[in-house]
Amino acid sequence: MLPAESDSYQKLHLKDLPQPEPGPGEVLIRLKAWSINYRDFAVASGNYFGGKLKEAAIPLSDGAGEVAALGEGVTRFAEGDRVQSAFFTDWDDGLPRSSPALGDGHGPGMLAEYVVLPETAVVPMAESLSFAEAACLPCAGVTAWNCLLEGNRPLQPGDKVLVLGTGGVSILALQIARAAGATVIATSSSDAKLEKVKALGAHHTINYKSTPEWGSYVQQEFGGVDKIVEVGGTGTLGQSFQALGMNGEIGLIGVLTHGDPPDPHALMMSAGTLRGIFVGSGAMARKLNATIDANAITPVIGKRFAFDDAIAAYDHAAGAHSFAKTIIEFS
């Protein structure tokens, strides 16, 4: 559950705007579905990197739909193509670099019927997915892919992966890791949610309320892990240091918890790596989508809401009963 100050999304309201037109190098998308990420609450509350919003803005980075029109010079797409947004507008490939991001209150947002994006901010959907399923991927899916398959230590078959919690990034990481032949350990404070992740293929589960020293437990029971999908932040990072196996890697993704920076001694002793993950490139999204098609991965949708019920969707995504991805779609 998110803190009370994150409820600024209650100010969301519908507004009629002229239909945008694509300029040179741009694509007009007719949106069909959207998903909510933790980041969207930070943007609404003014606690995101760009600070408080100075004026009204269209929210959300994640959406999927059809190409409605093309600007001059666009070569990658045709009208009618099924596409999803990329998180960044011009990080298409290569090493991480600074790039404008969607839905941060300063660049384009996706929660609209029509959105114009640069060609480099558009990715073909996985052929096997619906619009709602594809809308789960631009932020959470690419983040999970980057954490597991990119960097200096890509995931290998037989590796052990620890995913924290049951949010969108963690559940998609579980599915990607299983497809890659890894052993997955998952944590949650809810036994009911742990039953759900078992059904999705998690090999082992840990209730972190009944096992608060879960890092030491992972080390003792499993000899540490090779990859950790660290969505918690400084409040869980010390336990992740304890859980990491020799030469393992922690993908630092989230800021869900806060606290003093942990003692890095355990990280040093494991010769481990702490790698910052800030979503990923368009090329990563395309590789993820190819893997989804090849392995029949279906993103997990916890609950769906109509476009007119966006505030209710935010309410659900912020609550204790949310699981995996919360979707907004046209009914």
Side-chain angles (χ1 to χ4, degrees):
M1 182 177 293
L2 298 178
E5 62 266 21
S6 65
D7 65 359
S8 299
Y9 63 82
Q10 295 286 347
K11 297 178 182 177
L12 277 172
H13 60 277
L14 287 169
K15 186 173 183 179
D16 288 327
L17 298 172
Q19 181 172 312
E21 298 290 336
E26 294 181 333
V27 177
L28 176 67
I29 304 172
R30 182 187 301 109
L31 275 301
K32 303 288 188 178
W34 307 259
S35 76
I36 298 174
N37 296 287
Y38 174 80
R39 168 187 183 261
D40 299 314
F41 294 94
V43 170
S45 64
N47 294 323
Y48 197 59
F49 301 120
K52 292 191 179 296
L53 302 179
K54 295 180 180 179
E55 56 187 37
I58 297 173
L60 303 191
S61 60
D62 292 16
E66 297 174 336
V67 173
L70 302 172
E72 182 181 355
V74 173
T75 59
R76 295 185 185 181
F77 302 100
E79 288 188 24
D81 283 354
R82 301 190 327 139
V83 297
Q84 66 194 53
S85 56
F87 186 84
F88 293 106
T89 61
D90 61 8
W91 179 17
D92 188 56
D93 202 354
L95 294 173
R97 66 172 184 268
S98 179
S99 170
L102 303 181
D104 64 359
H106 303 279
M110 295 302 293
L111 190 55
E113 293 180 88
Y114 289 88
V115 172
V116 166
L117 294 177
E119 184 177 22
T120 51
V122 183
V123 175
M125 280 174 47
E127 293 181 3
S128 57
L129 299 186
S130 67
F131 291 115
E133 291 161 349
C136 297
L137 301 176
C139 181
V142 176
T143 296
W145 175 272
N146 188 357
C147 180
L148 296 176
L149 276 305
E150 303 290 335
N152 294 325
R153 196 199 181 287
L155 189 67
Q156 299 294 320
D159 279 354
K160 290 170 286 188
V161 175
L162 176 63
V163 299
L164 306 188
T166 57
V169 173
S170 296
I171 296 300
L172 284 159
L174 184 162
Q175 294 177 289
I176 294 166
R178 288 282 286 131
T183 296
V184 180
I185 305 162
T187 73
S188 175
S189 62
S190 165
D191 287 337
K193 290 183 179 181
L194 290 175
E195 288 300 316
K196 290 183 179 181
V197 297
K198 283 181 184 177
L200 290 170
H203 297 85
H204 309 282
T205 60
I206 303 168
N207 187 312
Y208 63 76
K209 282 195 173 180
S210 57
T211 309
E213 297 298 318
W214 48 266
S216 297
Y217 176 83
V218 169
Q219 192 64 239
Q220 293 164 7
E221 293 294 316
F222 308 107
V225 295
D226 301 291
K227 288 274 192 177
I228 299 178
V229 182
E230 173 48 86
V231 298
T234 53
T236 56
L237 192 54
Q239 292 295 322
S240 289
F241 285 170
Q242 295 291 330
L244 195 64
M246 290 301 299
N247 301 304
E249 182 182 83
I250 300 171
L252 184 60
I253 295 164
V255 292
L256 295 174
T257 63
H258 301 280
D260 294 330
D263 184 343
H265 183 259
L267 180 68
M268 179 183 71
M269 295 303 292
S270 70
T273 302
L274 179 64
R275 182 164 68 98
I277 307 293
F278 188 31
V279 195
S281 66
M284 294 180 198
R286 292 188 289 273
K287 286 188 282 187
L288 168 61
N289 286 352
T291 297
I292 283 172
D293 281 336
N295 293 276
I297 296 172
T298 302
V300 178
I301 296 173
K303 197 163 184 179
R304 301 168 184 254
F305 293 84
F307 183 75
D308 292 349
D309 293 329
I311 290 178
Y314 271 80
D315 279 335
H316 175 77
H321 296 293
S322 65
F323 182 84
K325 297 296 291 182
T326 300
I327 289 293
I328 301 168
E329 61 186 347
F330 283 122
S331 54

